Amino acid sequence: MKELTIQQKKVLQCIKFYIKKTGFPPTRADICRELGFKSPNAAESHLRALEKKGYITIENGASRGINLTENTAEQSQTIPVIGLVAAGSPTLADENIEKHIPYQESLFLSDFDYFLRVKGLSMKDAGIMEDDLVAIKKTSEVRNGDIVVARIDDEVTLKYFQSSGNQIKLIPANDDFEEIYINKETEGFFIEGKSVGLIREN
Amino acid sequence: MKELTIQQKKVLQCIKFYIKKTGFPPTRADICRELGFKSPNAAESHLRALEKKGYITIENGASRGINLTENTAEQSQTIPVIGLVAAGSPTLADENIEKHIPYQESLFLSDFDYFLRVKGLSMKDAGIMEDDLVAIKKTSEVRNGDIVVARIDDEVTLKYFQSSGNQIKLIPANDDFEEIYINKETEGFFIEGKSVGLIREN
DNA sequence: ATTTATACTGTATATATATTCAGTAAAATT
DNA sequence: AATTTTACTGAATATATATACAGTATAAAT
């Protein structure tokens, strides 16, 4: 799809926001009000540009006859899938994002920030298998028994969390793997977040 | 929420369908066209009734100013969760439906009909744990290695599927459970569907 | 160098649309 | 038995809305 200008992006965002807020698309006048234009033709031209570039369709003659293209509608509702690379942290930086998948607000009980693609079988006995997508909420507030994403220097790992005092144990759910003992103040140690759910695509 | 009459349900369905099709709500005239009314006031009265009962809100003066209530909007996008009861089949009958959860069309690669709430640990080594929700597609076309929902008389069970000729093996993913051998033509045996995905709420 | 796209203001207008008023009739509720 | 709700037709109308036309100005593409 053709790139949008900054103004056109603003107009598209305005349409999305208006629909989310009211349930129906804006009129030309509504767009002018939201973005400070003084002529309805300003909105009209932008709409025609968005239509030409394939981001919306317009039903001629119909009031509020704006329809977001499939592609456009989904863009606002995706969540990144991040690969668990042995070296490197799961940040939201573009180079770490595997793909985007549709986002459903109330899919899990807690909200979450990204999906982590699982590599290896260290959490096998917790029912977390290779290639599963674990929903991660970014937080450092974790409790004993939580499944957490922990970073130790450049290593990122998914384990059970267990702490007593300053001592932290990262426990795998697989006898073939070793427990990791670490100190709270250890340099380079960091809790990225915790698991709040899981989805698997067969 | 107050119950709707048959006519009111038709009007509400019409609005939902129109929005799904065009991306924006219908006018009074649109509703008349879709449902065969000859006066715009027929639509108007129904809309006011739907508003009064809390299924929609109407922004006065705005064209197409119909907004589906949160509750209403979600109704069209939910998928049932069905408990795996030892006796009884996972049908879509009301009494078997545990709850409804929001539905995302493209959540898994294949579409699916309902979620099955897992009881027991017979598929533990396949990473399917107690209380997981397995996405089931209703079909009898299954292949060797698929995880299937099989019914034998009143027993419903989730197992690996393996067939050779007329002989069918239902294999658990847990050494504590026994394999089930059965014949294709056995009375009361039936493949309900197969697993196409899984979600877990921590 | 010329054309096209972007980014608007400002005016005008046909028509799309919500909404009111006047009825009729049957069913449900009080 | 009286009132309210449901379920419409039919006509009228104020206004909400899309959209065309006339300009101005700058940036980008050919």
Side-chain angles (χ1 to χ4, degrees), chain B residues 125-145:
Chain B
D125 293 341
I128 299 175
M129 313 305 271
E130 179 116 33
D131 287 331
D132 282 358
L133 300 176
V134 178
I136 302 295
K137 180 166 176 58
K138 289 205 283 187
T139 177
S140 53
E141 289 170 36
V142 296
R143 294 177 193 183
N144 288 345

Side-chain angles (χ1 to χ4, degrees), chain A residues 22 63-64 104 198 200, chain B residues 63-64 67 104 195 198 200:
Chain A
T22 67
S63 66
R64 303 176 190 272
Q104 185 73 39
L198 177 148
R200 179 180 304 153
Chain B
S63 67
R64 304 178 190 269
N67 192 3
Q104 185 73 41
S195 159
L198 177 149
R200 180 180 306 153

Side-chain angles (χ1 to χ4, degrees), chain A residues 25 55-58 64-69, chain B residues 19 21-24:
Chain A
Y55 287 78
I56 62 171
T57 59
I58 298 173
R64 303 176 190 272
I66 301 170
N67 192 4
L68 298 176
T69 308
Chain B
I19 292 174
K21 200 177 63 181
T22 67
F24 45 86

